[in-house]
Amino acid sequence: MNCHPLILHVDADAFYASVEQVLHPELRGKAVIVGANNRGVVSAASYEARRFGVHSAMPVAQARRLCPHGVFLEPNFAAYSEYSRQMFEIMRRYSPAVEATSVDEGYVDLSGTLRLHKAPPWEVAHRMLQEIRVTLGINVSGGLAGSKMAAKMATGLAKPNGLLYLEPEKAWMVLGRLPVGSIPGVGKKTEKILRGHGIITVADLAASPGRLVGSLLGQWGEKLPESAAGHDYRPVRVEPVESQKSYSKERTLAEDTTDYNLIRHVACEIAEKLSYRLREDGKGASTVTLKVRYADFTQTSRSISLREPTNANAVIFACLDRLFGKAVTHRQRIRQVGVKLSGIGPPVYQEDLFEPRRGLAYRKDRLADAIRNRFGFTSVRVADCFLQGHRWQLK
DNA sequence: TCTGGGGTCCTAGGACCC
DNA sequence: TCTGGGGTCCTAGGACCC
């Protein structure tokens, strides 16, 4: 009866800001801006704040100028993930085929709901969004269409707090007029390249030869015209089968610095947190990357691969130590430091030269972890001990 | 205006192997 | 003397997403 797939894309509006307004009712109707670090950017802005031109990814300093009366908040990620969990729980009551693509966004396959709910899919989608709105008190938008790409683009048109159903036959009359930049995955740079070749709208892209677009954008571009024409057959994936590929963390310093021992210290603190997460997840990483961003915003990274995945603090610190001299080559002020652990796999507890007794390093790390789990992460500072007597100077 | 932090995927060159 | 071709891994960088 329903041979076309029908996919609903759901996206919460100004999610972080909306949750804050639910948790703090006195903020309702006010310009709420999540992101309070003056060296950072806005994570979310309520619609009241957007009226002043504030939007996410905007520097906080700029947002303060545009909206001086706004309420600037530090993000409360624990609360956001709890609201996220509840939102997806509601979605799964309507269809088992739910794919979460981020904390506030996901796809629902409603192809089979006609029989299940004794109602047309549009009606089902509408009820689902209403239940989220009423139960959680936040605004959500939805796009219902024949493919993931069309559904997501429809959501963009439905915002704020709306639902747009694009019947498969009519979808591309609507979407074809949009600029190519509205296609998910086509950002500023890609849009500029396409515009340079006269490809302005989604319809232009759909009419372009795959080989041409592939030559402009690389291999992934070859399929883009087909997807733009509505031939996007990616299924809704219920299982997030593939596990996490990397663990990373970065920190922007309070001010730019040439104090390289401070930078090393920050890198080791970050590594401590990441390796703790690896151990908690029972994982290891075989590649360690150190990233440095300079005051002029240029960035550079250096990495080392090990033979086997590890989660031992001492091994990761030793890698960082070697990377530091390679990454920091010129005497420019540094703005940001980051560490990434990738090549995730089952950890191999191979002891290094300094720890001949098998398993000792791991037991030491886990002992420290146990203390942290009881008394807080900062109750143990391995980085401090490691860095003692390791003063470092640029050659 | 002055640019976060957490991720994913892709590309391209070089090394190395068969 | 003139130089293959494929596969895989490593490294560095870049685009993009929320």
Side-chain angles (χ1 to χ4, degrees):
Chain A
M1 155 161 53
N2 201 13
C3 52
H4 292 294
L6 207 47
I7 294 171
L8 173 68
H9 177 255
V10 176
D11 191 339
D13 302 338
F15 184 58
Y16 294 177
S18 302
V19 172
E20 295 293 350
Q21 288 175 321
V22 174
L23 294 175
H24 309 284
E26 70 276 12
L27 297 179
R28 294 228 157 190
K30 289 192 179 167
V32 173
I33 294 147
V34 178
N37 179 352
N38 265 335
R39 301 245 295 168
V41 299
V42 172
S43 289
S46 70
Y47 278 84
E48 294 86 351
R50 291 184 196 191
R51 280 203 275 280
F52 293 87
V54 176
H55 56 80
S56 54
M58 170 183 280
V60 168
Q62 189 185 356
R64 284 192 197 274
R65 275 192 296 277
L66 288 172
C67 193
H69 64 287
V71 182
F72 290 79
L73 302 172
E74 293 285 352
N76 177 1
F77 293 111
Y80 310 148
S81 43
E82 172 55 21
Y83 273 75
S84 171
R85 192 191 61 73
Q86 291 184 37
M87 182 174 96
F88 284 105
E89 199 175 284
I90 292 171
M91 286 158 69
R92 286 192 197 91
R93 282 187 215 142
Y94 291 79
S95 167
V98 172
E99 174 183 344
T101 50
S102 86
V103 66
D104 71 333
E105 215 188 292
Y107 293 99
V108 188
D109 191 334
L110 290 181
S111 309
T113 53
L114 213 58
R115 249 178 307 166
L116 200 67
H117 293 275
K118 298 192 172 71
W122 188 87
E123 188 62 43
V124 177
H126 180 71
R127 276 188 227 155
M128 182 196 300
L129 297 185
Q130 267 311 107
E131 188 175 344
I132 294 171
R133 290 173 187 135
V134 171
T135 311
L136 302 184
I138 62 173
N139 288 344
V140 276
S141 299
L144 187 59
S147 72
K148 277 185 166 180
M149 186 189 274
K152 188 169 161 71
M153 292 173 75
T155 305
L157 296 173
K159 277 175 176 285
N161 210 24
L163 170 64
L164 178 62
Y165 176 31
L166 292 176
E167 291 173 64
E169 309 78 46
K170 297 178 186 162
W172 299 100
M173 293 180 45
V174 177
L175 302 180
R177 297 194 186 101
L178 300 178
V180 282
S182 54
I183 293 175
V186 177
K188 265 192 184 150
K189 307 268 179 176
T190 307
E191 183 168 25
K192 195 178 171 197
I193 294 171
L194 293 173
R195 286 186 77 92
H197 288 78
I199 301 169
I200 316 292
T201 65
V202 174
D204 293 338
L205 184 60
S208 303
R211 287 183 57 186
L212 168 71
V213 180
S215 72
L216 298 176
L217 306 180
Q219 224 178 350
W220 77 279
E222 276 172 31
K223 297 276 177 199
L224 209 49
E226 275 186 41
S227 305
H231 304 289
D232 166 27
Y233 304 112
R234 292 170 299 158
V236 172
R237 292 189 174 279
V238 182
E239 300 254 336
V241 273
E242 62 267 46
S243 51
Q244 196 171 345
K245 304 268 197 315
S246 65
Y247 292 59
S248 70
K249 194 166 179 59
E250 45 196 57
R251 194 190 302 169
T252 297
L253 307 167
E255 47 189 38
D256 302 343
T257 183
T258 49
D259 179 349
Y260 298 120
N261 286 308
L262 170 67
I263 310 285
R264 278 178 85 241
H265 191 250
V266 170
C268 283
E269 278 191 357
I270 291 173
E272 246 186 288
K273 293 216 170 87
L274 293 177
S275 68
Y276 168 79
R277 282 179 55 200
L278 281 178
R279 291 189 295 273
E280 289 288 293
D281 291 352
K283 298 282 175 59
S286 58
T287 300
V288 179
T289 304
L290 175 66
K291 187 182 93 171
V292 169
R293 191 187 286 282
Y294 291 98
D296 68 359
F297 233 67
T298 56
Q299 71 172 38
T300 178
S301 71
R302 289 294 178 271
S303 57
I304 291 184
S305 290
L306 305 161
R307 274 196 300 275
E308 327 238 73
T310 185
N311 57 30
N313 257 316
V315 177
I316 294 168
F317 285 167
C319 289
L320 285 177
D321 228 30
R322 286 175 55 190
L323 291 170
F324 196 72
K326 295 209 276 178
V328 182
T329 51
H330 47 300
R331 206 172 265 289
Q332 219 208 110
R333 284 177 306 138
I334 289 171
R335 176 187 178 89
Q336 183 187 56
V337 194
V339 177
K340 178 165 86 163
L341 305 179
S342 54
I344 305 302
V348 175
Y349 300 115
Q350 191 177 17
E351 298 307 328
D352 59 81
L353 294 173
F354 312 104
E355 294 288 355
R357 274 190 287 158
R358 202 169 164 69
L360 183 60
Y362 179 68
R363 290 204 303 276
K364 270 165 63 180
D365 283 343
R366 287 312 267 165
L367 178 61
D369 293 344
I371 295 169
R372 287 173 171 142
N373 287 340
R374 280 191 66 176
F375 302 108
F377 193 86
T378 49
S379 57
V380 184
R381 292 260 73 144
V382 183
D384 290 337
C385 307
F386 177 76
L387 291 165
Q388 214 76 56
H390 277 70
R391 307 309 289 178
W392 193 89
Q393 283 195 321
L394 189 68
K395 274 179 285 202

